[in-house]
Amino acid sequence: MGGGGGGGAEGGDQALVAQTLAGDRAAFGTLIERYAGQARRVARAVLGDPDDADDAAQDGFLSALVKLGQYDGRRPFGPWLMRIVANAATDRRRRRNVRRAEPLDTALVGGGPRPDAMAVRSELNGRLRAALAELPERRRKAVVLFDVEGYSHAEIAGILGIPEGTVRSEVFHARRRLRTLLADFKEPMR
Amino acid sequence: MNESPSFDHRPDPELGAALRAALEPRDDSAAFAARVMAQYDAALERSSVAMFDVLASWFRPGMVAAAAALVLGFLFGRTVLGNRAESIDAALAPLEGPGLAALVTAQDPPDPSVVFTSLVEPQ
């Protein structure tokens, strides 16, 4: 499965990892640029707040650098990194010990006016983030890794440390919940 | 979005795109990478400074301990060993005698009693 996840850049990733281990600072920078987007999205799926998410993604990258010697080069780099980033996000959330769903705009809750396409898009994004925040953390990670980042069920199972069947179940339930929550938003758009 | 109730093994592109847009970071990945690298460099600097501080903190007590050990060793040498003979023969003298001969010439492993006797018997 391609996406931002497993495929595509693996050959390049292995070379960049080797160069990083050999002390090439720029190679590590390239790895960060390559995976920054998905690391930040996965972290945001866990934490909600974009600044917290960036801090967690940063923690994840630095932690990955420290652990880089433990990385098995025969395996894809993306899932290995995403596991570290997802754990960093979970750790940060636990440390703060307060789970604050991103506050919903009152206009979103009340179904306020939608003056233009930009506002509609913004409203949809807010509604989706709110819907995600209502899901259990593992379910959130699973659906984002599968539908957004394009990782396979097996890869997500490795990232989350759960059986593949549980990943399928989490993705299924997350999708059902998200679709239900979004249904009332989509209908007036048609 | 796909409304099918059964599980679909393929990613849902519409839901995926919507979620991606909702989770998209505010700035570009290059700026984020620059921030991470700055943190990395700062962490390296902190760790090297911290290591220097640790070594510096060890230095003074270490020097004091080494000087104290030198003085004590010198005093011990003067008071305890000063009255003893200084040649190796003299140092081995308590071992000489039948016990030492038996130990050196025996084909079999030494009898512990012989070794022990050679050490404790007064010459």
Side-chain angles (χ1 to χ4, degrees), chain B residues 57-79:
Chain B
S57 70
W58 290 353
F59 182 74
R60 194 173 299 167
M63 290 298 289
V64 170
L70 198 63
V71 170
L72 285 174
F74 176 73
L75 292 175
F76 179 79
R78 281 194 62 180
T79 56

mmCIF file of all heavy atoms in Angstrom, chain B residues 57-79:
data_model
loop_
_atom_site.group_PDB
_atom_site.id
_atom_site.type_symbol
_atom_site.label_atom_id
_atom_site.label_comp_id
_atom_site.label_asym_id
_atom_site.label_seq_id
_atom_site.Cartn_x
_atom_site.Cartn_y
_atom_site.Cartn_z
ATOM 1 N N SER B 57 33.173 18.661 37.681
ATOM 2 C CA SER B 57 32.791 18.440 39.076
ATOM 3 C C SER B 57 33.557 17.268 39.681
ATOM 4 O O SER B 57 33.744 17.195 40.885
ATOM 5 C CB SER B 57 31.281 18.188 39.176
ATOM 6 O OG SER B 57 30.979 16.935 38.605
ATOM 7 N N TRP B 58 33.944 16.337 38.811
ATOM 8 C CA TRP B 58 34.741 15.206 39.301
ATOM 9 C C TRP B 58 36.184 15.605 39.541
ATOM 10 O O TRP B 58 36.882 14.971 40.326
ATOM 11 C CB TRP B 58 34.738 14.066 38.282
ATOM 12 C CG TRP B 58 33.422 13.373 38.156
ATOM 13 C CD1 TRP B 58 32.308 13.561 38.920
ATOM 14 C CD2 TRP B 58 33.088 12.381 37.187
ATOM 15 N NE1 TRP B 58 31.297 12.763 38.481
ATOM 16 C CE2 TRP B 58 31.738 12.019 37.422
ATOM 17 C CE3 TRP B 58 33.783 11.772 36.148
ATOM 18 C CZ2 TRP B 58 31.096 11.078 36.660
ATOM 19 C CZ3 TRP B 58 33.135 10.821 35.382
ATOM 20 C CH2 TRP B 58 31.805 10.478 35.637
ATOM 21 N N PHE B 59 36.674 16.590 38.848
ATOM 22 C CA PHE B 59 38.105 16.867 38.813
ATOM 23 C C PHE B 59 38.657 17.210 40.191
ATOM 24 O O PHE B 59 39.626 16.618 40.646
ATOM 25 C CB PHE B 59 38.376 18.002 37.822
ATOM 26 C CG PHE B 59 39.826 18.333 37.685
ATOM 27 C CD1 PHE B 59 40.688 17.483 36.994
ATOM 28 C CD2 PHE B 59 40.346 19.474 38.267
ATOM 29 C CE1 PHE B 59 42.027 17.791 36.876
ATOM 30 C CE2 PHE B 59 41.687 19.780 38.156
ATOM 31 C CZ PHE B 59 42.531 18.939 37.454
ATOM 32 N N ARG B 60 38.035 18.178 40.874
ATOM 33 C CA ARG B 60 38.590 18.661 42.145
ATOM 34 C C ARG B 60 38.592 17.575 43.219
ATOM 35 O O ARG B 60 39.634 17.303 43.805
ATOM 36 C CB ARG B 60 37.821 19.906 42.599
ATOM 37 C CG ARG B 60 38.530 20.652 43.704
ATOM 38 C CD ARG B 60 37.854 21.962 44.027
ATOM 39 N NE ARG B 60 37.827 22.852 42.886
ATOM 40 C CZ ARG B 60 37.085 23.952 42.829
ATOM 41 N NH1 ARG B 60 36.313 24.281 43.837
ATOM 42 N NH2 ARG B 60 37.120 24.729 41.772
ATOM 43 N N PRO B 61 37.457 16.916 43.487
ATOM 44 C CA PRO B 61 37.497 15.834 44.482
ATOM 45 C C PRO B 61 38.463 14.723 44.085
ATOM 46 O O PRO B 61 39.112 14.116 44.935
ATOM 47 C CB PRO B 61 36.060 15.318 44.511
ATOM 48 C CG PRO B 61 35.237 16.358 43.876
ATOM 49 C CD PRO B 61 36.114 17.135 42.962
ATOM 50 N N GLY B 62 38.544 14.478 42.778
ATOM 51 C CA GLY B 62 39.455 13.429 42.310
ATOM 52 C C GLY B 62 40.898 13.773 42.617
ATOM 53 O O GLY B 62 41.683 12.925 43.058
ATOM 54 N N MET B 63 41.249 15.033 42.397
ATOM 55 C CA MET B 63 42.616 15.464 42.685
ATOM 56 C C MET B 63 42.902 15.375 44.178
ATOM 57 O O MET B 63 43.970 14.934 44.601
ATOM 58 C CB MET B 63 42.825 16.914 42.205
ATOM 59 C CG MET B 63 42.848 17.070 40.699
ATOM 60 S SD MET B 63 44.194 16.153 39.919
ATOM 61 C CE MET B 63 45.579 17.140 40.439
ATOM 62 N N VAL B 64 41.953 15.775 45.006
ATOM 63 C CA VAL B 64 42.123 15.716 46.465
ATOM 64 C C VAL B 64 42.298 14.270 46.903
ATOM 65 O O VAL B 64 43.182 13.932 47.698
ATOM 66 C CB VAL B 64 40.910 16.373 47.167
ATOM 67 C CG1 VAL B 64 40.962 16.110 48.663
ATOM 68 C CG2 VAL B 64 40.885 17.867 46.877
ATOM 69 N N ALA B 65 41.451 13.394 46.367
ATOM 70 C CA ALA B 65 41.522 11.980 46.746
ATOM 71 C C ALA B 65 42.857 11.372 46.322
ATOM 72 O O ALA B 65 43.469 10.599 47.076
ATOM 73 C CB ALA B 65 40.365 11.215 46.101
ATOM 74 N N ALA B 66 43.332 11.736 45.124
ATOM 75 C CA ALA B 66 44.602 11.197 44.647
ATOM 76 C C ALA B 66 45.755 11.676 45.528
ATOM 77 O O ALA B 66 46.656 10.893 45.882
ATOM 78 C CB ALA B 66 44.832 11.621 43.191
ATOM 79 N N ALA B 67 45.718 12.959 45.908
ATOM 80 C CA ALA B 67 46.778 13.488 46.771
ATOM 81 C C ALA B 67 46.756 12.798 48.129
ATOM 82 O O ALA B 67 47.804 12.428 48.678
ATOM 83 C CB ALA B 67 46.605 15.002 46.921
ATOM 84 N N ALA B 68 45.548 12.612 48.666
ATOM 85 C CA ALA B 68 45.426 11.955 49.971
ATOM 86 C C ALA B 68 45.953 10.527 49.891
ATOM 87 O O ALA B 68 46.665 10.057 50.802
ATOM 88 C CB ALA B 68 43.968 11.966 50.412
ATOM 89 N N ALA B 69 45.615 9.832 48.811
ATOM 90 C CA ALA B 69 46.087 8.454 48.660
ATOM 91 C C ALA B 69 47.602 8.405 48.562
ATOM 92 O O ALA B 69 48.264 7.501 49.113
ATOM 93 C CB ALA B 69 45.459 7.832 47.407
ATOM 94 N N LEU B 70 48.186 9.390 47.888
ATOM 95 C CA LEU B 70 49.648 9.446 47.743
ATOM 96 C C LEU B 70 50.319 9.637 49.099
ATOM 97 O O LEU B 70 51.282 8.937 49.441
ATOM 98 C CB LEU B 70 50.005 10.601 46.797
ATOM 99 C CG LEU B 70 51.393 10.593 46.186
ATOM 100 C CD1 LEU B 70 51.576 9.362 45.301
ATOM 101 C CD2 LEU B 70 51.633 11.860 45.372
ATOM 102 N N VAL B 71 49.777 10.560 49.878
ATOM 103 C CA VAL B 71 50.352 10.828 51.209
ATOM 104 C C VAL B 71 50.212 9.608 52.105
ATOM 105 O O VAL B 71 51.165 9.184 52.780
ATOM 106 C CB VAL B 71 49.660 12.062 51.850
ATOM 107 C CG1 VAL B 71 50.055 12.193 53.306
ATOM 108 C CG2 VAL B 71 50.005 13.310 51.075
ATOM 109 N N LEU B 72 49.034 8.998 52.086
ATOM 110 C CA LEU B 72 48.815 7.815 52.924
ATOM 111 C C LEU B 72 49.730 6.671 52.500
ATOM 112 O O LEU B 72 50.291 5.958 53.342
ATOM 113 C CB LEU B 72 47.354 7.375 52.822
ATOM 114 C CG LEU B 72 46.358 8.245 53.587
ATOM 115 C CD1 LEU B 72 44.929 7.792 53.297
ATOM 116 C CD2 LEU B 72 46.631 8.187 55.087
ATOM 117 N N GLY B 73 49.874 6.493 51.213
ATOM 118 C CA GLY B 73 50.754 5.436 50.719
ATOM 119 C C GLY B 73 52.197 5.668 51.140
ATOM 120 O O GLY B 73 52.903 4.742 51.546
ATOM 121 N N PHE B 74 52.616 6.922 51.077
ATOM 122 C CA PHE B 74 53.978 7.255 51.485
ATOM 123 C C PHE B 74 54.179 6.978 52.973
ATOM 124 O O PHE B 74 55.158 6.342 53.381
ATOM 125 C CB PHE B 74 54.251 8.740 51.175
ATOM 126 C CG PHE B 74 55.584 9.219 51.623
ATOM 127 C CD1 PHE B 74 56.737 8.834 50.949
ATOM 128 C CD2 PHE B 74 55.703 10.052 52.728
ATOM 129 C CE1 PHE B 74 57.973 9.274 51.373
ATOM 130 C CE2 PHE B 74 56.944 10.485 53.156
ATOM 131 C CZ PHE B 74 58.086 10.102 52.477
ATOM 132 N N LEU B 75 53.211 7.407 53.786
ATOM 133 C CA LEU B 75 53.320 7.190 55.231
ATOM 134 C C LEU B 75 53.292 5.704 55.559
ATOM 135 O O LEU B 75 54.041 5.213 56.398
ATOM 136 C CB LEU B 75 52.179 7.915 55.954
ATOM 137 C CG LEU B 75 52.249 9.441 55.894
ATOM 138 C CD1 LEU B 75 51.010 10.048 56.543
ATOM 139 C CD2 LEU B 75 53.517 9.944 56.597
ATOM 140 N N PHE B 76 52.432 4.964 54.861
ATOM 141 C CA PHE B 76 52.337 3.523 55.096
ATOM 142 C C PHE B 76 53.659 2.842 54.748
ATOM 143 O O PHE B 76 54.163 2.004 55.486
ATOM 144 C CB PHE B 76 51.207 2.945 54.237
ATOM 145 C CG PHE B 76 51.043 1.463 54.376
ATOM 146 C CD1 PHE B 76 50.388 0.914 55.468
ATOM 147 C CD2 PHE B 76 51.568 0.586 53.417
ATOM 148 C CE1 PHE B 76 50.238 -0.446 55.597
ATOM 149 C CE2 PHE B 76 51.427 -0.782 53.546
ATOM 150 C CZ PHE B 76 50.757 -1.294 54.649
ATOM 151 N N GLY B 77 54.200 3.251 53.625
ATOM 152 C CA GLY B 77 55.471 2.672 53.209
ATOM 153 C C GLY B 77 56.579 2.937 54.220
ATOM 154 O O GLY B 77 57.392 2.057 54.512
ATOM 155 N N ARG B 78 56.588 4.127 54.747
ATOM 156 C CA ARG B 78 57.641 4.478 55.697
ATOM 157 C C ARG B 78 57.476 3.743 57.017
ATOM 158 O O ARG B 78 58.428 3.237 57.594
ATOM 159 C CB ARG B 78 57.630 5.986 55.960
ATOM 160 C CG ARG B 78 58.298 6.755 54.855
ATOM 161 C CD ARG B 78 58.573 8.167 55.267
ATOM 162 N NE ARG B 78 59.489 8.228 56.388
ATOM 163 C CZ ARG B 78 59.909 9.360 56.952
ATOM 164 N NH1 ARG B 78 59.477 10.513 56.489
ATOM 165 N NH2 ARG B 78 60.760 9.346 57.958
ATOM 166 N N THR B 79 56.259 3.681 57.532
ATOM 167 C CA THR B 79 56.063 3.128 58.869
ATOM 168 C C THR B 79 55.988 1.608 58.867
ATOM 169 O O THR B 79 56.527 0.953 59.748
ATOM 170 C CB THR B 79 54.773 3.678 59.493
ATOM 171 O OG1 THR B 79 53.703 3.398 58.619
ATOM 172 C CG2 THR B 79 54.884 5.170 59.715
#
